[in-house]
Amino acid sequence: MKITVMGASGRIGTRLVDNLRQEGIEVVAASTSLGVDSVTGEGLKPAIAGADVVIDVTNAASFGDNSALAFFKASTRNLLAAAAEAGVTHYIALSVVGTPRLVESDYFRAKMVQENLIRAARRPYTILHSTQFFEFISGVIDMGVDGEGFRLPSASVRPIAADNVADMLAELAMGTPRNDIVEIGGREQFGLDQIARMYLTANEDIRQVITDDSARYYGVELNDDTLLPIEGTRMGSLRYVDWLSQSLAN
């Protein structure tokens, strides 16, 4: 089996490539820093030639404007075209839990376009929806900055370690296409305000978090379940407090 990972230099991509190679699988690691650009198409055909599976873990550089839409349109169309030409039998893409409920946001509207392009291509596919990564909780907190503190909603989230997401992508690559969405989330459920306080306390940051359910997430006002995966979702193995302890020790 040969697998091409597009976005192989990113947080998920590096872990995924390592996982697959440890299983003895032939992997082509593709990213802009490695000379493969899914937006312009540079280097894309040779990177995908002969691949059985393509895994798209690319991401837009900007979340808050139309550049995300331009990125996902161009990147996904180019990847799908190259995959079809190469005879790829399974196209896998990483997306986000709650995407259909977050389309007021420029970024999530762009992710929805990405998913629709994959479905419309009529190629065997699997889309993995993941909840927010532990590694990005600090960025979520920063979105709520308000003076010397933070305002965040109490909406529930089940964050997950990037390692667990990479493991799931590798597992999906070994299986047959689902032609559907699969979801994964963390073992524990927190309010966004609650997990922010946990993170700040662990980092000895005395700034206060004010619970404000009108505070927006990527420009969207949340319901309590907007960011939660569906019932029966696959769960990651790592607990947030354990991950937090490990990350502070490194």
Coordinates of all heavy atoms in Angstrom, one line a residue, residues 140-152 200 207-212 214-216:
V140 N -7.9 29.1 21.4 CA -9.4 29.3 21.7 C -9.5 30.4 22.8 O -10.3 31.3 22.7 CB -10.1 28.0 22.0 CG1 -11.5 28.3 22.5 CG2 -10.1 27.1 20.8
I141 N -8.7 30.2 23.8 CA -8.7 31.2 24.9 C -8.3 32.6 24.4 O -9.0 33.5 24.8 CB -7.7 30.7 26.0 CG1 -8.1 29.4 26.6 CG2 -7.6 31.8 27.1 CD1 -7.1 28.8 27.5
D142 N -7.3 32.7 23.6 CA -6.9 34.0 23.1 C -8.0 34.7 22.3 O -8.1 35.9 22.2 CB -5.7 33.8 22.2 CG -4.4 33.5 23.0 OD1 -4.5 33.8 24.3 OD2 -3.4 33.0 22.5
M143 N -8.9 33.9 21.6 CA -10.0 34.5 20.9 C -10.9 35.3 21.8 O -11.7 36.2 21.4 CB -10.8 33.4 20.2 CG -10.2 32.9 18.9 SD -11.3 31.9 17.9 CE -11.8 30.6 19.0
G144 N -10.9 34.9 23.1 CA -11.8 35.5 24.0 C -11.2 36.6 24.9 O -11.8 37.1 25.9
V145 N -10.0 37.1 24.4 CA -9.3 38.1 25.2 C -10.2 39.4 25.4 O -10.8 39.8 24.4 CB -7.9 38.4 24.6 CG1 -8.1 39.1 23.3 CG2 -7.1 39.3 25.6
D146 N -10.2 39.9 26.6 CA -11.1 41.1 26.8 C -10.3 41.9 27.9 O -10.4 41.6 29.1 CB -12.5 40.7 27.3 CG -13.4 41.9 27.6 OD1 -13.3 42.8 26.8 OD2 -14.1 41.8 28.6
G147 N -9.6 42.9 27.5 CA -8.8 43.7 28.4 C -7.7 42.8 29.1 O -6.9 42.2 28.4
E148 N -7.7 42.7 30.4 CA -6.7 41.9 31.1 C -7.3 40.5 31.4 O -6.6 39.8 32.2 CB -6.3 42.6 32.4 CG -5.6 44.0 32.1 CD -5.2 44.6 33.4 OE1 -5.5 44.1 34.5 OE2 -4.5 45.7 33.3
G149 N -8.4 40.1 30.9 CA -8.9 38.8 31.1 C -9.5 38.2 29.8 O -9.1 38.6 28.7
F150 N -10.5 37.3 30.0 CA -11.1 36.6 28.9 C -12.6 36.5 29.1 O -13.1 36.3 30.2 CB -10.5 35.2 28.7 CG -9.0 35.2 28.6 CD1 -8.2 35.1 29.7 CD2 -8.4 35.3 27.3 CE1 -6.8 35.1 29.6 CE2 -7.0 35.3 27.2 CZ -6.2 35.2 28.3
R151 N -13.3 36.5 28.0 CA -14.8 36.2 28.0 C -15.0 35.0 27.1 O -14.7 35.1 25.9 CB -15.6 37.4 27.5 CG -15.7 38.6 28.5 CD -16.6 39.7 28.0 NE -16.7 40.7 29.0 CZ -17.6 40.7 29.9 NH1 -18.5 39.8 30.0 NH2 -17.6 41.7 30.8
L152 N -15.5 34.0 27.7 CA -15.7 32.7 26.9 C -17.1 32.1 27.3 O -17.5 32.3 28.4 CB -14.6 31.7 27.2 CG -13.2 32.1 26.6 CD1 -12.2 31.2 27.3 CD2 -13.2 31.9 25.1
L200 N -5.2 28.0 32.2 CA -4.5 29.2 32.8 C -4.0 28.8 34.2 O -2.8 29.2 34.5 CB -5.5 30.3 32.9 CG -6.0 30.9 31.5 CD1 -7.1 31.9 31.8 CD2 -4.8 31.6 30.8
R207 N -4.8 35.6 35.1 CA -5.9 36.3 34.4 C -7.2 35.6 34.6 O -7.3 34.3 34.6 CB -5.6 36.5 33.0 CG -4.5 37.6 32.7 CD -4.1 37.7 31.3 NE -3.5 36.5 30.7 CZ -3.2 36.3 29.5 NH1 -3.5 37.2 28.6 NH2 -2.6 35.2 29.1
Q208 N -8.3 36.3 34.7 CA -9.6 35.7 35.0 C -10.4 35.4 33.7 O -10.3 36.1 32.7 CB -10.4 36.7 35.8 CG -9.8 37.0 37.2 CD -9.7 35.7 38.0 OE1 -10.8 35.1 38.3 NE2 -8.5 35.4 38.5
V209 N -11.2 34.4 33.8 CA -12.1 34.0 32.7 C -13.6 34.4 33.1 O -14.0 33.8 34.2 CB -12.0 32.5 32.3 CG1 -13.1 32.2 31.3 CG2 -10.6 32.2 31.8
I210 N -14.2 35.2 32.4 CA -15.6 35.6 32.7 C -16.5 34.7 31.8 O -16.3 34.7 30.5 CB -15.9 37.1 32.4 CG1 -15.1 37.9 33.4 CG2 -17.4 37.4 32.5 CD1 -15.1 39.4 33.1
T211 N -17.5 34.0 32.3 CA -18.4 33.3 31.5 C -19.4 34.2 30.9 O -20.1 34.9 31.5 CB -19.2 32.2 32.4 OG1 -18.2 31.4 33.0 CG2 -20.1 31.4 31.6
D212 N -19.4 34.2 29.6 CA -20.3 35.0 28.8 C -20.8 34.2 27.6 O -20.1 34.0 26.6 CB -19.5 36.2 28.3 CG -20.4 37.2 27.5 OD1 -21.6 36.9 27.2 OD2 -19.9 38.3 27.1
S214 N -22.8 34.9 25.3 CA -22.9 35.6 24.0 C -21.5 35.8 23.4 O -21.4 36.3 22.2 CB -23.5 37.0 24.3 OG -22.6 37.8 25.0
A215 N -20.4 35.4 24.1 CA -19.1 35.5 23.5 C -19.0 34.5 22.3 O -19.6 33.4 22.4 CB -18.0 35.1 24.5
R216 N -18.4 34.9 21.2 CA -18.4 34.1 20.0 C -17.1 33.3 19.8 O -16.1 33.6 20.3 CB -18.6 35.1 18.8 CG -20.0 35.7 18.8 CD -20.2 36.6 17.7 NE -21.6 37.0 17.7 CZ -22.6 36.5 16.9 NH1 -22.2 35.6 16.0 NH2 -23.8 36.9 16.9

